[in-house]
Amino acid sequence: MESRILFVSVEIPKIITKNDLEKEFPGLILTTIEKSLVGETTNGKFIFASSFGVITFCNFNHEEIKSFLHRLKIKEAPHYQTALINQDYPMVVDTLCDKPLIDTHTIKYNKFNKSVASIISLALSQSVGLEIREKSLEAKMLESKKLYDKIENIKAKDRKNLMGFAGAIAKERFEILSQLYLLDKPDIIWDDLELESLYNQLAMQLELKPRFDVIEYKISFLKDSVEFITDRVNQKSSEFLEWIIIWLIGVEILFSTYEYIIKPNF
C-alpha cells in the first residue's frame, strides 16, 4: 500500500519566531530539532521553520500553504510559487520499501514520522537556503564587477564603501557556516543508520556539498577582489601623500632659497 506526501520549502523574507507561530496557530505543537522549530498539526502534517529564513511544509497542499503564509503576514503569500524561492519534493510511503530510496523525482521509504519529516525538511530547507545565498552572491559578483570597471578612477574616499562590502561578504560566509550547518550531520541521525542514509541520499540528490563548494569559491573570489581593490586604493592614497610631501619639500626649498639667497641680495 502506498501513500503520497508533498514537501515544499519556501523562502521567508521576514524573521518568523516561535511566538509568531504560537500566536497564529494556537494548536500547533512545537519542538526544536537542529536549531529549527518543528510544528505538528493534525492528520500527519508538519511545519519545519528553520533559523535561516526557510519554512518547509510537509503534507500540505498549495492552497493550505498560501493560507499559512498569509496568516504569518507574508505579502507574497498568494503568489509565493513565483515570488519566493521555493522547492518541492514528493515522498511515497511504500511498506514494501525496506530502506530509503531517492532519485531526482521521488523519495521512497517504508515509514513516515516526525523524525523522517524533520530530516527531509532539513535537507530541502538547506537546498533553498543555498539558493538564497547563491542569488545574494550573484548580486555581490555584479557589484564586484562594477568596482573592477571603475578601478582606475577609484578614490581614497571609496575605502569606506569597500570596507562595508568586505563586511557583507564576511557576514555572508559566517551565516552560511553558522546557520545552514552544512558541515555538520544532524544530531538525530547519529544513532539511526536509515535516517543517516536518507539524509545522505537527499544531500547528494540536492547537490548540497558541490553547491556549498561553489559558494565558498565565490566568497573567496570576492574576498580576493576586495583585497586587491583595497590595495589599489591604499596605493593611490600613498602616492597622493608622497606627492604632497614632495610639494611641501619643494615649497620649503623655495622659501629657504628666498629667505637665505634672494632676500639678502635686495
Side-chain angles (χ1 to χ4, degrees), residues 236-246:
K236 284 191 171 186
S237 180
S238 296
E239 290 174 354
F240 179 70
L241 290 174
E242 287 172 2
W243 276 109
I244 288 177
I245 292 170
I246 290 170

Side-chain angles (χ1 to χ4, degrees), residues 140 143 158-170 226:
K140 288 181 173 59
E143 191 172 343
D158 297 318
R159 189 185 285 110
K160 182 177 179 181
N161 291 334
L162 282 171
M163 292 301 99
F165 187 43
I169 294 168
V226 171

Side-chain angles (χ1 to χ4, degrees), residues 130-145:
L130 277 173
E131 189 172 348
I132 293 170
R133 297 303 177 190
E134 287 162 358
K135 291 204 170 190
S136 174
L137 284 175
E138 283 301 318
K140 288 181 173 59
M141 292 289 281
L142 289 174
E143 191 172 343
S144 176
K145 182 180 182 301

Side-chain angles (χ1 to χ4, degrees), residues 77-128:
H79 45 280
Y80 79 90
Q81 289 168 287
T82 55
L84 300 173
I85 296 172
N86 63 92
Q87 188 172 0
D88 59 61
Y89 221 126
M91 177 184 183
V92 174
V93 181
D94 185 351
T95 54
L96 300 178
C97 186
D98 59 351
K99 61 181 180 180
L101 296 174
I102 301 172
D103 58 28
T104 54
H105 305 293
T106 312
I107 302 165
K108 276 193 173 185
Y109 197 25
N110 60 10
K111 58 186 173 185
F112 174 74
N113 53 36
K114 185 177 182 180
S115 295
V116 171
S118 296
I119 286 297
I120 296 172
S121 296
L122 173 62
L124 204 56
S125 294
Q126 288 173 328
S127 180
V128 172

Side-chain angles (χ1 to χ4, degrees), residues 44-244:
K45 298 178 187 289
F46 294 92
I47 294 159
F48 188 91
S50 77
S51 60
F52 46 87
V54 180
I55 284 186
T56 300
F57 299 89
C58 168
N59 214 12
F60 285 72
N61 61 44
H62 290 296
E63 290 305 316
E64 289 173 325
I65 293 173
K66 289 178 184 179
S67 174
F68 195 101
L69 294 175
H70 176 72
R71 289 183 64 179
L72 290 176
K73 300 175 178 62
I74 305 298
K75 64 180 182 180
E76 298 89 348
H79 45 280
Y80 79 90
Q81 289 168 287
T82 55
L84 300 173
I85 296 172
N86 63 92
Q87 188 172 0
D88 59 61
Y89 221 126
M91 177 184 183
V92 174
V93 181
D94 185 351
T95 54
L96 300 178
C97 186
D98 59 351
K99 61 181 180 180
L101 296 174
I102 301 172
D103 58 28
T104 54
H105 305 293
T106 312
I107 302 165
K108 276 193 173 185
Y109 197 25
N110 60 10
K111 58 186 173 185
F112 174 74
N113 53 36
K114 185 177 182 180
S115 295
V116 171
S118 296
I119 286 297
I120 296 172
S121 296
L122 173 62
L124 204 56
S125 294
Q126 288 173 328
S127 180
V128 172
L130 277 173
E131 189 172 348
I132 293 170
R133 297 303 177 190
E134 287 162 358
K135 291 204 170 190
S136 174
L137 284 175
E138 283 301 318
K140 288 181 173 59
M141 292 289 281
L142 289 174
E143 191 172 343
S144 176
K145 182 180 182 301
K146 291 178 182 177
L147 288 173
Y148 271 115
D149 289 342
K150 66 174 187 177
I151 192 168
E152 293 303 323
N153 299 317
I154 204 159
K155 302 287 191 300
K157 65 181 182 180
D158 297 318
R159 189 185 285 110
K160 182 177 179 181
N161 291 334
L162 282 171
M163 292 301 99
F165 187 43
I169 294 168
K171 182 182 178 184
E172 195 91 45
R173 188 175 191 277
F174 173 78
E175 290 180 349
I176 290 169
L177 292 174
S178 66
Q179 295 181 351
L180 292 180
Y181 356 105
L182 289 167
L183 300 181
D184 303 312
K185 287 188 177 181
D187 293 339
I188 62 175
I189 71 175
W190 285 111
D191 298 322
D192 193 317
L193 292 178
E194 288 190 1
L195 280 182
E196 183 175 4
S197 173
L198 176 64
Y199 179 78
N200 289 341
Q201 288 186 67
L202 273 168
M204 186 177 297
Q205 287 292 342
L206 295 169
E207 299 181 328
L208 298 184
K209 183 64 169 63
R211 289 164 63 194
F212 174 74
D213 290 342
V214 170
I215 283 177
E216 278 278 85
Y217 174 79
K218 287 182 178 180
I219 288 176
S220 296
F221 172 80
L222 287 169
K223 178 174 172 290
D224 291 343
S225 298
V226 171
E227 287 179 353
F228 173 77
I229 297 169
T230 302
D231 288 344
R232 179 66 175 158
V233 170
N234 290 338
Q235 180 186 359
K236 284 191 171 186
S237 180
S238 296
E239 290 174 354
F240 179 70
L241 290 174
E242 287 172 2
W243 276 109
I244 288 177

